[in-house]
Amino acid sequence: MKKDVMIVTGAGQISMAIARRMGYGKKIIMGDKKIKNAKSIAKIMNDAGYDVEPIEMDLSSRESILNMIQIAKSYGDISMLINGAGVSPSQAPIEMILKVDLYGTAVLLEEVGKVIKEGGVGVTISSQSGHRMKQLTALEDEQLAITPTEELLSLDLLQVDNIQDTLHAYQLAKRCNEKRVMSEAVKWGQRGARVNSISPGIVVTPLAIDEFNGPRGDFYKNMFEKCPAGRPATADEVANVAELLMSEKGAFITGTDILIDGGATASYFYGPLKPE
């Protein structure tokens, strides 16, 4: 029996929290570069009554993305996308961050946008980091938004010589995510579908706990201790926002980004987290 299909990339706590909130009654294709991660999340969800198929998927590869879409289409119409895949500044070099977080997300939004069913909806997980860097020029923002995907990594502002470090690369990637969502929302709208992004702050996940206990731990702890909320978020709090965006309650919301960081960005510009 055919059923609506949800595509999920990045088998992590945030992706699972959103998928559990929105994926009941659907076939869920759970893709991750590490199939072990996808199988682990799939088992948890299948044991709870969901219908999840884990697959190996590399967000940096258009071929891999298209393969995932073909698998999804074999089960029915694609009605939802959750993109939680990506690498952090401490996990990868500049080139990999740009290839996965920037290029890969752009390709995924483009290709799913070609097949999403009428009434369908997508959410991509961006980051507070995209709100921290200095403003780009109007031309640079436009380039990030509408440059053909296969030409994105050739843009001057994305050349390694123009990027300070992996954090700067990550910030650029997340800024591109936001601009890309705006541009793709226009195309998705022609199919009667919607797409938005969410920019979380620090969220407690196994990866975040590793970061708390690693060399940048003091930096992260200082960030959430000095933000107005005074704590990190949970994956379910991100899912709360995703549920709004992906449900009928968010029917008039598309092409936008929602910052959910406990006020850390506000504190960065106007509070105790402001750089000296």
Side-chain angles (χ1 to χ4, degrees), residues 150-255:
E150 294 305 319
E151 298 173 21
L152 265 173
L153 297 180
S154 297
L155 290 174
D156 285 343
L157 81 162
L158 299 180
Q159 300 313 297
V160 174
D161 290 345
N162 296 325
I163 297 176
Q164 299 165 12
D165 51 28
T166 57
L167 177 58
H168 186 206
Y170 187 73
Q171 290 173 329
L172 284 166
K174 297 308 179 180
R175 179 67 64 84
C176 183
N177 292 169
E178 296 163 29
K179 297 302 176 183
R180 214 72 191 179
V181 160
M182 293 178 72
S183 175
E184 285 294 335
V186 178
K187 301 173 186 176
W188 283 46
Q190 294 169 358
R191 298 181 63 87
R194 301 183 294 110
V195 62
N196 294 288
S197 62
I198 299 173
S199 289
I202 299 173
V203 181
V204 178
T205 63
L207 174 63
I209 292 172
D210 287 342
E211 294 281 2
F212 296 160
N213 296 322
R216 291 167 60 87
D218 289 343
F219 169 81
Y220 287 110
K221 291 174 185 175
N222 181 62
M223 184 182 297
F224 68 71
E225 286 172 357
K226 291 184 178 178
C227 77
R231 62 173 178 84
T234 64
D236 282 288
E237 288 177 299
V238 180
N240 288 340
V241 176
E243 183 176 18
L244 166 64
L245 294 175
M246 300 180 79
S247 71
E248 283 303 307
K249 291 182 179 179
F252 201 59
I253 307 173
T254 192

Side-chain angles (χ1 to χ4, degrees), residues 56 65 69 97 150 216 224 274:
E56 186 174 344
I65 289 170
I69 290 172
I97 290 170
E150 294 305 319
R216 291 167 60 87
F224 68 71
K274 187 172 184 177

Side-chain angles (χ1 to χ4, degrees), residues 62 65-66 69 78 105-116 149-150 184 188:
R62 184 185 292 271
I65 289 170
L66 288 173
I69 290 172
I78 298 171
T105 296
V107 171
L108 181 67
L109 295 176
E110 174 185 37
E111 294 295 347
V112 174
K114 294 176 182 177
V115 297
I116 191 79
T149 48
E150 294 305 319
E184 285 294 335
W188 283 46

Side-chain angles (χ1 to χ4, degrees), residues 5-21:
V5 183
M6 168 189 281
I7 289 177
V8 183
T9 67
Q13 295 296 312
I14 293 175
S15 292
M16 180 171 67
I18 301 172
R20 287 176 69 102
R21 198 73 62 89

